[in-house]
Amino acid sequence: MAREIRGGFASRLGFVLAAAGSAIGLGNIWKFPYVTGANGGGAFLIIYLVTVFVIGSSIMLAEFSIGRAAERNPVGAFRRLKGGAWVGVGYMGVITGLLVLSFYSVVGGWTIAYALKAVSGQLAGGDAASLGSAFGGFIGSTAEPLVYHAIFMVLTAVVVGAGIGGGIERAGKVLMPLLFLLILILIVQVMSLPGASKGLEFFFAPDFSKVTGDTIIAAVGQAFFSLSLGMGAMMTYGSYLSRKVWLPTTVATVTLLDTLVAILAGIVILPAVFAFGVDPAAGPGLTFITLPAIFNQMPGGDWIACAFFLLLCVAALTSSVSMLEVVVAYLVDEKNVKRTRATAGAGILIFLLGIPSSLSFGLLGDATWQGKTFFDMMDYLVTNILLPVGGILIAVFAAWVAWPRIIEEVSGWAKASFPLANVWRFVLGIVAPIGVLVVLINGL
Ligand code: TRP
């Protein structure tokens, strides 16, 4: 009944693409390379991969299961399956959704701006230094990035407003494979640059002397961020999924695709960083500076750049809709607000919340706290604290509070038992909470 009223994914493929679309986004192509760069390369990569495959995939399965068992947004899901204080974890997810989208949308806006700059020839001919100052000038200005932030939020809201199936399921079915193809072309291009191999060495050769508590937190946080975990986004998607689908293969597919795209992005960006003499720890500008420098060396580079940034924007949109969907599903399910109104209201609120993040690259650049601007603080709070804490709570809930209902969701409906059930429960109930908690306490 609930499923008919709330809408749902029409097919297993549609669901896998939507979940992979949520996972694959700016986190892979913009964030992963610069966070890897700032954290010393190879050793970070190893910690990241271990977290993704052991803890991340387990929590993704837990989120899908909780969502499908309850057929509700995170707040409603915890209320239905247990109630009490656990409902707070759902509220935390909704609030995290507002916060994460507020700064994600700012960067999403940059991708639109860069697609337009590419066709109008504004990126042509520059070297890394001039591209770097052009980027700094753009994000440091006041009105222009805010306009693009607004456009990105409108696009996100339009897709979410159209509902599951209508908007989300369709978005990206053709465009994601295209993005993938473009990344492969870029790899070929970047490998021909002199000095590229130094970047590969930086990326793949681990130097554990560079690992600190902060490195590990950053790796764990990035794993949660990249897989869209810890705030109920995957839970909400799971709530729209048919009981016929066997969840573990879906989790494996999404985790592998997400990791593949992150690594391929690293193979493009980090060699380019070394070839063009950019500092690998240069931060959020890394992708926006090195990629145009690569495009400038390619015939028809302006058009390839435009196509790339448009596809990156689409990848960002299929992620941003999953953040907004959490907030909207909460308002629709729990507060009986109409989908269109909920989407518009939440969209405007998130746009406003994002304004100081955008301004922190210019006007508010000097307003720092412990060396962090407003944007840095939002990112740190969400990625390194709220998502890991939310993830642990989801894991503990699945393993210790609602286990019978959760395991039934994985091996009951599809009539295929889950051979790794005990390992999964051990990771959720023991490894993930203790591991992540130790990392958090150590780092803070
Ligand atoms: N995973 C997405 C990316 O890599 C971002 C994202 C979408 C996300 N939904 C999320 C991050 C929920 C945290 C929580 O770009």
Side-chain angles (χ1 to χ4, degrees):
M1 248 266 286
R3 177 158 286 126
E4 265 117 62
I5 295 165
R6 298 173 76 240
F9 289 101
S11 66
R12 183 190 123 85
L13 180 67
F15 177 76
V16 170
L17 288 175
S22 167
I24 299 169
L26 295 170
N28 306 58
I29 294 163
W30 158 73
K31 205 162 194 246
F32 178 74
Y34 88 74
V35 177
T36 306
N39 285 286
F44 173 89
L45 176 65
I46 292 180
I47 304 168
Y48 171 77
L49 290 177
V50 171
T51 313
V52 162
F53 284 100
V54 178
I55 296 179
S57 61
S58 299
I59 294 182
M60 192 187 296
L61 186 55
E63 285 209 22
F64 285 160
S65 309
I66 294 172
R68 194 170 67 174
E71 298 185 299
R72 277 291 175 279
N73 66 90
V75 171
F78 282 103
R79 187 174 286 140
R80 268 204 174 176
L81 297 183
K82 184 68 190 180
W86 284 102
V87 180
V89 181
Y91 281 111
M92 195 174 113
V94 174
I95 290 167
T96 307
L98 295 170
L99 298 181
V100 67
L101 184 48
S102 75
F103 69 85
Y104 198 85
S105 168
V106 170
V107 182
W110 298 351
T111 66
I112 304 176
Y114 262 61
L116 297 176
K117 285 181 197 296
V119 266
S120 63
Q122 287 178 57
L123 304 177
D127 56 7
S130 67
L131 286 165
S133 59
F135 176 75
F138 162 62
I139 62 170
S141 61
T142 302
E144 210 188 338
L146 284 178
V147 170
Y148 290 109
H149 165 47
I151 296 174
F152 188 84
M153 271 316 298
V154 169
L155 292 175
T156 305
V158 166
V159 180
V160 172
I164 294 294
I168 294 173
E169 190 164 352
R170 237 173 263 158
K173 264 193 191 174
V174 192
L175 297 172
M176 282 304 99
L178 265 181
L179 178 70
F180 196 78
L181 194 76
L182 254 185
I183 295 176
L184 292 181
I185 294 173
L186 286 178
I187 290 183
V188 175
Q189 178 72 19
V190 88
M191 285 310 144
S192 68
L193 296 174
S197 60
K198 258 201 244 138
L200 285 185
E201 201 180 303
F202 175 80
F203 191 28
F204 288 114
D207 175 357
F208 283 98
S209 68
K210 287 186 186 146
V211 173
T212 64
D214 278 339
T215 319
I216 305 177
I217 287 207
V220 170
Q222 175 63 22
F224 280 92
F225 188 91
S226 191
L227 294 173
S228 306
L229 299 175
M231 57 157 270
M234 292 303 191
M235 194 181 292
T236 307
Y237 274 17
S239 77
Y240 298 113
L241 180 62
S242 151
R243 293 245 143 83
K244 285 187 211 117
V245 174
W246 198 55
L247 295 170
T249 43
T250 309
V251 169
T253 311
V254 174
T255 309
L256 283 171
L257 283 176
D258 185 68
T259 308
L260 184 66
V261 174
I263 289 183
L264 292 180
I267 295 179
V268 173
I269 309 282
L270 292 169
V273 162
F274 283 83
F276 296 122
V278 179
D279 176 8
L286 211 54
T287 298
F288 287 90
I289 295 164
T290 54
L291 282 179
I294 304 173
F295 294 130
N296 278 341
Q297 304 198 331
M298 298 169 77
D302 285 352
W303 291 100
I304 303 173
C306 178
F308 182 87
F309 283 113
L310 280 181
L311 291 169
L312 184 56
C313 176
V314 172
L317 275 172
T318 58
S319 299
S320 61
V321 294
S322 73
M323 303 170 185
L324 184 56
E325 179 59 29
V326 172
V327 182
V328 169
Y330 161 71
L331 292 170
V332 171
D333 290 349
E334 307 299 310
K335 299 284 168 211
N336 270 321
V337 185
K338 264 181 50 196
R339 178 168 273 268
T340 42
R341 295 193 108 200
T343 308
I348 290 169
L349 177 63
I350 294 167
F351 169 74
L352 296 176
L353 271 174
I355 292 176
S357 282
S358 181
L359 294 182
S360 72
F361 294 98
L363 222 54
L364 299 180
D366 293 328
T368 56
W369 187 71
Q370 297 202 338
K372 286 185 163 62
T373 63
F374 189 84
F375 180 97
D376 299 334
M377 274 180 346
M378 280 295 220
D379 183 17
Y380 191 89
L381 174 69
V382 167
T383 308
N384 293 1
I385 300 174
L386 291 174
L387 297 178
V389 169
I392 303 179
L393 291 169
I394 290 167
V396 167
F397 182 80
W400 300 120
V401 181
W403 177 253
R405 188 69 194 79
I406 294 307
I407 188 63
E408 179 186 309
E409 203 54 55
V410 174
S411 51
W413 301 105
K415 301 201 166 46
S417 71
F418 181 40
L420 295 173
N422 290 332
V423 181
W424 181 43
R425 191 180 187 190
F426 180 67
V427 172
L428 285 181
I430 313 255
V431 178
I434 294 180
V436 175
L437 218 57
V438 166
V439 168
L440 280 180
I441 292 168
N442 244 320
L444 300 177

